[in-house]
């Protein structure tokens, strides 16, 4: 057993938090399925749109690295999003062999619509006040920082 900051880490605590994370992940996965059931994009396409939005001027290779998947997997998703008019490839002026991925106006619109629907579903299912929600975020950020500092964020 290890004690830090007054918290005793025990097998029972570990099993409890593992079970709660699993339940939370299942609930979020259910809400994701509900969000994208009648959508023009899939969950995977949403994730890629979100990554492009949050990583400006990213390349297909960079997205593959971020998601820890093969470039070919991302390329398939990018091609489908491009066919739907949600993503464009812009030639890198410094290196004409590579291109940056950018969201089109339609891509931004479908991303915003999907986020709004998902957040609305979250709000309906998870009745939690703002202070408790922010506390959860702070705790998760703290845990992630600790994992990151120890190199466990791979």
């Amino acid at each position: 057993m290890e004690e830090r900051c007054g918290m005793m880490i025990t097998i029972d605590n570990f099993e409890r938090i593992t079970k709660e994370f699993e339940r939370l992940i299942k609930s979020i996965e259910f809400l994701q399925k509900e969000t994208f059931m009648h959508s023009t994009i899939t969950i995977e396409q949403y994730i890629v749109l979100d990554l492009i939005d949050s990583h400006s001027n990213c390349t297909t290779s960079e997205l593959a690295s971020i998601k820890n998947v093969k470039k070919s997997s991302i390329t398939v998703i990018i091609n489908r999003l491009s066919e739907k008019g949600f993503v464009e490839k812009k030639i890198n002026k410094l290196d004409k062999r590579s291109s940056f991925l950018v969201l089109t106006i339609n891509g931004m619109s479908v991303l915003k619509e999907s986020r709004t629907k998902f957040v609305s579903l979250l709000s309906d299912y998870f009745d939690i006040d703002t202070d408790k929600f922010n506390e959860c975020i702070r705790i998760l950020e703290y845990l992630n920082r600790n994992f990151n500092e120890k190199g466990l964020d791979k």
Side-chain angles (χ1 to χ4, degrees), residues 41-151:
I41 60 172
T42 65
I43 294 170
E44 280 300 314
Q45 290 170 343
Y46 167 81
I47 291 168
V48 170
L49 288 174
D50 188 56
L51 286 172
I52 294 169
D53 186 49
S54 60
H55 295 82
S56 60
N57 293 328
C58 63
T59 65
T60 304
S61 296
E62 290 168 343
L63 285 183
S65 177
I66 291 167
K67 282 192 52 61
N68 199 25
V69 297
K70 292 181 181 178
K71 183 181 172 189
S72 59
S73 299
I74 292 293
T75 300
V76 169
I77 296 170
I78 294 297
N79 288 342
R80 288 199 182 116
L81 290 169
S82 182
E83 289 167 8
K84 293 179 179 185
F86 298 146
V87 172
E88 288 181 349
K89 294 179 181 178
K90 299 284 184 182
I91 299 295
N92 180 347
K93 292 178 183 174
L94 300 175
D95 180 1
K96 305 251 188 253
R97 297 171 297 165
S98 71
S99 57
F100 298 118
L101 300 169
V102 294
L103 298 181
T104 63
I105 291 172
N106 288 338
M108 287 183 251
S109 177
V110 76
L111 179 61
K112 182 179 179 182
E113 178 184 304
S114 298
R115 283 177 177 158
T116 301
K117 184 173 181 186
F118 185 67
V119 168
S120 175
L121 283 171
L122 273 175
S123 297
D124 290 346
Y125 283 94
F126 295 111
D127 184 25
I128 185 170
D129 68 52
T130 303
D131 290 339
K132 285 183 182 176
F133 189 76
N134 287 332
E135 182 181 343
C136 288
I137 291 171
R138 281 191 297 278
I139 291 168
L140 290 172
E141 288 172 342
Y142 172 80
L143 292 172
N144 282 319
R145 245 188 336 273
N146 283 333
F147 282 125
N148 190 353
E149 289 170 2
K150 294 178 179 11

Side-chain angles (χ1 to χ4, degrees), residues 8-68:
M8 184 79 75
I9 299 173
T10 65
I11 291 173
D12 288 341
N13 287 344
F14 176 76
E15 288 175 353
R16 193 168 148 212
I17 196 166
T18 301
K19 183 190 291 184
E20 292 305 321
F21 269 124
E22 287 171 354
R23 288 177 58 202
L24 181 61
I25 288 168
K26 283 181 183 178
S27 297
I28 290 172
E29 286 172 347
F30 168 79
L31 293 178
Q32 286 175 326
K33 287 177 186 171
E34 288 287 310
T35 299
F36 296 100
M37 187 178 299
H38 302 291
S39 178
T40 57
I41 60 172
T42 65
I43 294 170
E44 280 300 314
Q45 290 170 343
Y46 167 81
I47 291 168
V48 170
L49 288 174
D50 188 56
L51 286 172
I52 294 169
D53 186 49
S54 60
H55 295 82
S56 60
N57 293 328
C58 63
T59 65
T60 304
S61 296
E62 290 168 343
L63 285 183
S65 177
I66 291 167
K67 282 192 52 61
N68 199 25

